[in-house]
Amino acid sequence: MRKPMIAVPMGDAAGIGPEILVKSFCDPQLHDSRIVVIGDKHVMENACGICGADVHIRVIQDIRDADFEPKVIPLIETEAIDKERFRFGELSAMCGKAAFSYIQKSIDLAMHHQVDAIATPPINKESLRLAGLEYIGHTEIFAELTGTKDPQTMFQTGNLRVLFLTRHVSLRQACALITKERIVDFVKRSVESLSKLGIGEGKMAIAGLNPHCGEHGLFGDEEGREILPAVKELQEAGYPVEGPIGADSVFYLARQGRYNCVLSLYHDQGHIACKTLDFEKTVSITNGMPILRTSVDHGTAYDIAGRGIASEISMVEAILTAEKYAPLFRASGA
């Protein structure tokens, strides 16, 4: 059976995205994969040379022209990079604008069912801003271009899955956003999204916010005021959820198989757990959209860009994860 077709936007040209992409095409795990890169030919050829990769770039005009030969990277070009002005590791409006165009084209292909999923290398938020694009990151771009009101971020590291109630806000703001209403709404939508990935068995655990889940109000009242009432309402409605469970143990319990996922209440709470377990193989999955998107969970690494030393492990894992879930996502009718 043929593998799903995966679109991969090149990411920020000045970062490590092109290099980890080239290295991914050399990985034996992806030897029969059907991957189309959306990016810039010159930059990708440069990355091939930097990495000493025995692959070459074939520019195609239409996704149907991709023939997926060994050691060939099918590439659709959008926004060109001016090689006279291009520098590795430098913020630029040019690279920010180009990175956005690669994502835009990938989403267009997915929305028109020409590819089965998208796997993204890193982009740079500051480069986007220099290009006049006021997005915090990939998730916000995908939300707007797919018409998704509030997509859900999920990390997967081995058999540990972590969802995030709040993302890129200050810790003070995150605490204010932890309300009964938001938890109930988020869990209901997450259960539906998980089912589209074939994850229907088991219970979701909700992490506590305060030390020892507040110790009945001694160390904070959010558990009693917001989290416990949300859990009770969800359980009464038949949703498989438990909590709050102390954040110092809940991720371990999920890793042992007691829960199918954990709802992390703020950004670093879940990031620390996943990245400590396996930094390179942590993959981000954006749920709740009409298309499937996976991503590396690291940045553009400007400090090492252009040196051929960046690890491709997370990129390979993101593509493998997209290939794993794409058939289930498609079968769900999404």
Side-chain angles (χ1 to χ4, degrees):
M1 180 178 288
R2 293 194 310 173
K3 285 189 175 182
M5 190 180 298
I6 311 298
V8 183
M10 193 179 72
D12 189 294
I16 61 172
E19 296 166 59
I20 62 174
L21 259 181
V22 166
K23 289 184 177 183
S24 295
F25 271 85
C26 300
D27 191 293
Q29 297 177 90
L30 302 178
H31 76 278
D32 59 348
S33 293
R34 304 168 70 225
I35 305 165
V36 176
V37 175
I38 293 78
D40 179 88
K41 180 184 179 183
H42 167 72
V43 172
M44 287 297 292
E45 286 180 336
N46 194 15
C48 289
I50 290 168
C51 298
D54 183 23
V55 294
H56 70 274
I57 313 301
R58 178 178 294 164
V59 175
I60 60 175
Q61 303 303 317
D62 191 285
I63 196 78
R64 291 168 293 187
D65 297 330
D67 49 18
F68 308 109
E69 295 179 21
K71 298 184 178 182
V72 174
I73 300 178
L75 176 80
I76 296 175
E77 290 196 288
T78 55
E79 190 77 19
I81 298 292
D82 183 350
K83 53 186 178 182
E84 299 301 321
R85 292 190 291 139
F86 174 75
R87 299 288 185 276
F88 282 113
E90 289 188 7
L91 293 167
S92 75
M94 175 179 67
C95 289
K97 181 182 178 184
F100 179 78
S101 76
Y102 309 148
I103 299 167
Q104 196 171 32
K105 177 64 175 178
S106 300
I107 291 173
D108 182 64
L109 291 170
M111 292 291 284
H112 287 89
H113 307 290
Q114 293 182 281
V115 298
D116 298 296
I118 300 170
T120 57
I123 56 175
N124 191 288
K125 300 173 181 64
E126 292 182 72
S127 288
L128 291 177
R129 293 294 177 91
L130 289 173
L133 299 161
E134 298 296 317
Y135 295 102
I136 297 174
H138 269 118
T139 303
E140 291 72 26
I141 295 173
F142 273 80
E144 181 168 310
L145 297 186
T146 63
T148 304
K149 182 180 179 182
D150 185 19
Q152 304 125 27
T153 296
M154 181 176 84
F155 278 11
Q156 181 167 303
T157 311
N159 70 336
L160 174 64
R161 303 182 189 93
V162 178
L163 294 153
F164 294 87
L165 183 67
T166 64
R167 297 190 302 269
H168 293 141
V169 296
S170 72
L171 188 55
R172 189 181 302 277
Q173 287 176 293
C175 291
L177 289 170
I178 298 168
T179 65
K180 173 190 170 185
E181 292 73 24
R182 289 194 79 245
I183 294 169
V184 169
D185 172 68
F186 192 92
V187 169
K188 287 181 177 179
R189 290 187 294 114
S190 294
V191 168
E192 181 180 350
S193 296
L194 288 168
S195 70
K196 292 180 180 179
L197 301 180
I199 306 166
E201 298 296 321
K203 292 183 178 181
M204 179 188 301
I206 297 182
L209 174 66
N210 296 296
H212 309 293
C213 292
E215 289 278 20
H216 303 288
L218 288 175
F219 310 133
D221 65 353
E222 287 87 354
E223 280 80 7
R225 180 165 45 87
E226 306 291 348
I227 302 172
L228 273 168
V231 171
K232 183 179 179 182
E233 181 175 321
L234 287 162
Q235 289 175 337
E236 289 176 349
Y239 285 89
V241 60
E242 286 185 11
I245 300 166
D248 59 353
S249 58
V250 67
F251 299 103
Y252 169 79
L253 295 173
R255 181 79 169 92
Q256 298 305 305
R258 186 178 297 187
Y259 305 107
N260 66 9
C261 64
V262 178
L263 178 58
S264 170
L265 300 181
Y266 59 93
H267 182 279
D268 284 8
Q269 187 180 55
H271 276 243
I272 291 168
C274 289
K275 292 181 179 181
T276 300
L277 180 60
D278 194 330
F279 187 91
E280 289 191 308
K281 289 193 175 182
T282 293
V283 173
S284 177
I285 303 167
T286 308
N287 290 329
M289 300 192 300
I291 62 177
L292 176 63
R293 176 242 172 175
T294 66
S295 181
V296 301
D297 189 51
H298 59 70
T300 46
Y302 276 178
D303 57 324
I304 62 170
R307 295 166 57 189
I309 62 174
S311 171
E312 75 278 15
I313 292 174
S314 189
M315 188 75 251
V316 171
E317 200 69 20
I319 294 169
L320 290 172
T321 302
E323 290 178 340
K324 173 185 176 180
Y325 285 130
L328 297 165
F329 190 83
R330 187 170 59 245
S332 73

